[in-house]
Amino acid sequence: MEWWSGRVALVTGASAGIGASVARRLVAEGMRVVGAARSVERVQALADELKGQPGTLIPIKCDITKDDQVVSMFARIKRELGGVDVCVNNAGLAVLKDLLEGSPEEWRGMLDLNVVALCLCTREAVASMRERGVDDGHVIHLNSIGGHYISQIPSFHFYCGTKQVVTTLTEALRLELRRANSKIRISVSCVCFLPWS
Ligand SMILES: NC(=O)c1ccc[n+]([C@@H]2O[C@H](COP(=O)([O-])OP(=O)(O)OC[C@H]3O[C@@H](n4cnc5c(N)ncnc54)[C@H](OP(=O)(O)O)[C@@H]3O)[C@@H](O)[C@H]2O)c1
């Protein structure tokens, strides 16, 4: 993990769950971690807890479904930390309802966060790496096992659809980076907590 020490990681959705755990681990490895979430006070509480660790956690309040807030966050990271070397696209939303019961508002909420915000954070992170000549950066998408096949649990159908888009976007970004002869890496981390049948 020597590579990571002192470098800057953005973790979206660092106020809870997997994002908080990832932020905690990266700080333990010596990274300067920007933890983005709407509940910034929860990220601040984690940052206070992690004082004395090799790295630091810097909380930034950001609703990543708001384009202007994302752009402002990257501008602040550039100003205060130089830029982003690692982008962990973790924030995600699952409104569990069958397709025949869901609403457009709920579907848009999932698409905005799981797909559009992920793309915007990725675009801004890669731009930040390129403008500083960082060719060993890393983008990591949090996916789900449901992003790889059609679940038999109807209430997961729309959410899994958004994660299937993430599967496509991961490979598509890999192709774009390769075409550009970039060594920036794109990875996907797949999570499963339910018995999928
Ligand atoms: N948990 C699982 O078993 C599981 C399984 C498969 C895949 N995944 C995926 O893994 C990732 C993390 O899951 P999790 O279970 O840890 O989620 P979680 O506990 O529900 O936490 C979601 C995080 O996303 C943040 N968030 C939500 N809306 C946001 C917004 N508009 N702007 C910024 N941040 C926002 C939340 O912070 P605020 O509310 O403070 O903004 C919170 O920190 C997601 O992509 C999820 O789809 C999880």
Side-chain angles (χ1 to χ4, degrees), residues 13-18 37-39 62-65 90-92 113 142-144 159 163 191 193:
S15 64
I18 294 167
R38 295 165 303 176
S39 320
C62 183
D63 179 341
I64 63 167
T65 64
N90 162 78
L113 185 61
L142 264 288
N143 204 340
S144 163
Y159 165 74
K163 292 300 189 182
V191 187
F193 78 115

Side-chain angles (χ1 to χ4, degrees), residues 160-186:
C160 289
T162 67
K163 292 300 189 182
Q164 301 224 355
V165 176
V166 171
T167 301
T168 299
L169 293 172
T170 305
E171 175 61 7
L173 181 63
R174 188 185 73 79
L175 293 174
E176 284 190 33
L177 290 168
R178 191 175 67 171
R179 191 172 300 124
N181 286 322
S182 172
K183 299 227 167 14
I184 295 169
R185 287 163 293 171
I186 168 71

Side-chain angles (χ1 to χ4, degrees), residues 48-85:
D48 293 343
E49 185 193 321
L50 296 178
K51 279 190 180 129
Q53 292 278 324
T56 49
L57 177 60
I58 302 114
I60 294 191
K61 184 177 177 67
C62 183
D63 179 341
I64 63 167
T65 64
K66 308 286 186 234
D67 304 351
D68 56 334
Q69 292 189 26
V70 172
V71 170
S72 300
M73 173 175 68
F74 274 89
R76 182 175 158 193
I77 295 171
K78 180 178 179 176
R79 218 168 39 244
E80 297 180 7
L81 300 165
V84 169
D85 301 308

